[in-house]
Amino acid sequence: MIIAGLSNSKHLAERIASKLNVDYDDLLLRDSPDGELHVKFNSDVKGKKIALVQSLYPYPNHALFEVIYAASAARDLGAKEIIYIAPYLAFFREDSRKSRGECVQQNIVADLLSRSVDAVISVEPHLHQHNFSGKLFSVPFYRLECNELLRKYVKENFSGCKVLGFGERGWKLAKHVDKNAALYKKGETAEYREKVLIVDDIIASGNSMMNNVENLKADKINVLVVHGLFNNGSYSKLKNHVERIVSCNTIEHESNNIDVGSLIAGKLMEI
């Protein structure tokens, strides 16, 4: 097996390769002067299983094309099997047409990936509650959950905190961390005379989380998130209002403290 790191996930790809004790290919990725993408393998992939590691953030459109190009190149070069590992999978947060004439992104991306790779692995994919991966993809789709990783980290680093799950998704994660976790709804005002840990699956613009923090009164507030996009400078803004922000390394960021490399490596050993 060869683990190939694409632009957004090279460090994580190296960690996975190290955990599995297999070869790592630092893919050559460059844009030509006119903006065209160029992808080149440094290893001989003929007859081998290739795992492409790429989070679809930042620059999700460009990141997706890196995956498509790399998968196509691997296939053309004679790879035996191609697995796409999406630590963060973009384009799947909406499952229906909101206005007339609008494309449904998830259907297009699922079709492109199904045509390009033999299987997809994703960590806590933000699929809409009505999405079923078996209907979206025509290749095997493996959803990895961070429950045990989050529970272990909280136990070792946030003992004594009241755990709150932001929204239904966050609450589901929080309940795995602490069975007594409370549901904290958007816009809700609450007061706790203790330290608080807010759990969520994703922070994008950070607007909702900022509203939470402003409406929440507690001794100290901490935030735990799986996917930290933190776009539009939201990390700096949020950091000024909380004690700690911790994320998983599904997207490379300074807040990364929870490694999903072992989780992914374990699944690769199974399939």
Side-chain angles (χ1 to χ4, degrees):
M1 178 187 291
I2 297 175
I3 307 295
L6 283 77
S7 63
N8 287 340
S9 301
K10 288 183 178 291
H11 292 156
L12 178 56
E14 287 185 278
R15 293 180 70 87
I16 296 169
S18 177
K19 292 177 185 297
L20 292 173
N21 195 28
V22 299
D23 291 336
Y24 169 71
D25 192 313
D26 189 14
L27 276 179
L28 174 63
L29 301 154
R30 63 175 175 81
D31 290 334
S32 63
D34 56 1
E36 294 180 357
L37 175 65
H38 180 79
V39 176
K40 180 180 182 293
F41 282 90
N42 295 300
S43 306
D44 181 6
V45 303
K46 187 174 182 179
K48 297 178 181 178
K49 178 186 288 188
I50 307 300
L52 305 172
V53 187
Q54 172 81 317
S55 275
L56 296 183
Y57 187 86
Y59 312 112
N61 299 316
H62 192 281
L64 175 63
F65 265 88
E66 286 186 10
V67 176
I68 302 300
Y69 276 41
S72 178
R75 187 85 68 196
D76 190 48
L77 291 167
K80 179 177 67 174
E81 184 180 1
I82 303 166
I83 299 172
Y84 170 44
I85 299 168
Y88 171 70
L89 186 64
F91 302 109
F92 287 80
R93 296 175 68 184
E94 294 183 353
D95 67 345
S96 61
R97 185 170 287 111
K98 303 302 181 184
S99 61
R100 185 177 180 181
E102 183 181 43
C103 75
V104 182
Q105 290 175 312
Q106 66 163 27
N107 296 342
I108 298 169
V109 174
D111 180 60
L112 282 172
L113 290 175
S114 295
R115 292 169 182 267
S116 303
V117 303
D118 299 302
V120 177
I121 298 173
S122 185
V123 179
E124 295 288 350
H126 197 99
L127 298 177
H128 189 278
Q129 62 181 348
H130 299 303
N131 285 348
F132 297 97
S133 56
K135 293 183 178 180
L136 288 171
F137 294 90
S138 58
V139 296
F141 181 91
Y142 301 96
R143 173 177 182 148
L144 304 186
E145 297 183 346
C146 293
N147 301 334
E148 291 302 321
L149 290 176
L150 298 181
R151 182 187 294 116
K152 183 175 184 294
Y153 188 86
V154 171
K155 182 178 180 180
E156 294 176 353
N157 297 274
F158 289 110
S159 60
C161 283
K162 175 62 179 179
V163 179
L164 308 177
F166 175 43
E168 294 294 335
R169 292 178 184 276
W171 189 41
K172 181 179 179 181
L173 280 172
K175 293 284 282 185
H176 287 289
V177 171
D178 181 350
K179 64 180 181 180
N180 296 315
L183 171 62
Y184 185 43
K185 298 179 180 179
K186 183 176 181 178
E188 184 177 64
T189 300
E191 183 173 355
Y192 294 91
R193 296 180 180 179
E194 57 191 317
K195 289 185 178 180
V196 163
L197 174 64
I198 303 176
V199 179
D200 204 356
D201 65 332
I202 181 171
I203 296 178
S205 69
N207 292 333
S208 296
M209 187 60 72
M210 278 298 298
N211 290 335
N212 285 345
V213 171
E214 291 173 354
N215 291 330
L216 186 63
K217 295 181 179 180
D219 181 22
K220 289 183 179 179
I221 301 173
N222 300 280
V223 175
L224 174 63
V225 62
V226 176
H227 306 299
L229 280 64
F230 301 116
N231 49 38
N232 299 324
S234 57
Y235 178 71
S236 296
K237 296 175 184 176
L238 187 59
K239 192 176 179 181
N240 290 330
H241 292 81
V242 302
E243 184 176 30
R244 287 189 67 195
I245 304 173
V246 174
S247 67
C248 296
N249 61 343
T250 56
I251 297 170
E252 290 186 7
H253 190 266
E254 63 180 279
S255 63
N256 292 163
N257 275 286
I258 301 176
D259 179 28
V260 299
S262 296
L263 186 66
I264 295 170
K267 176 53 69 173
L268 283 172
M269 292 177 66
E270 292 178 12
I271 63 175

